[in-house]
Amino acid sequence: MKTNRIMDEIRSSISPEMKKQMELSVAIANRIYNIIEANGMSQKEFARLMGKTETEVSRWLSGTHNMTIATICKISDALEEDIIRVVGYSYEAPYDFEPEIAAETIGERKK
């Protein structure tokens, strides 16, 4: 496989954190692309479903766009598939705290 010397130099000079961010961004983009493809949907149809331009969706799918959690959640809802999962967290479980109790706990910390 032929590699690009400049890109190889850039990859070798980035921090481990930045490398991890790049890998996760690409993995998220690939997950979205795979779901779109599995649903037989075009990029244009996906953009229309999301109320976005094809250009913006193209940026998302490039793996270079830093998507917000809000955007990832909107995509998950639109595609009716999880894009990411948090280990040890149950998405179906209802919240198990009372807002008043949480507010009291926060208020006690401020004293």
Side-chain angles (χ1 to χ4, degrees):
M1 179 171 132
K2 187 176 181 179
T3 61
N4 181 319
R5 183 183 59 79
I6 295 171
M7 287 305 292
D8 288 342
E9 287 176 22
I10 292 170
R11 281 189 203 100
S12 67
S13 67
I14 63 174
S15 70
E17 295 85 9
M18 183 58 79
K19 184 176 181 183
K20 184 72 170 180
Q21 180 181 336
M22 288 171 48
E23 290 170 354
L24 287 172
S25 292
V26 170
I28 290 168
N30 286 340
R31 172 79 176 133
I32 295 167
Y33 178 81
N34 289 338
I35 294 169
I36 292 168
E37 190 173 68
N39 287 332
M41 191 181 297
S42 70
Q43 190 171 311
K44 184 176 187 174
E45 291 168 325
F46 176 61
R48 193 174 316 121
L49 175 69
M50 295 299 301
K52 301 294 180 181
T53 65
E54 287 182 70
T55 303
E56 186 166 7
V57 166
S58 181
R59 265 187 261 127
W60 290 352
L61 298 177
S62 73
T64 59
H65 183 73
N66 189 13
M67 286 190 256
T68 65
I69 296 295
T71 298
I72 293 170
C73 289
K74 287 177 187 177
I75 294 169
S76 291
D77 285 346
L79 295 176
E80 299 178 350
E81 290 270 352
D82 288 334
I83 303 302
I84 58 174
R85 288 193 144 270
V86 176
V87 176
Y89 177 79
S90 173
Y91 292 86
E92 285 75 34
Y95 294 108
D96 60 353
F97 66 88
E98 295 293 324
E100 302 84 42
I101 295 170
E104 288 173 7
T105 304
I106 292 169
E108 289 172 9
R109 287 185 198 157
K110 291 181 180 180
K111 290 181 183 179

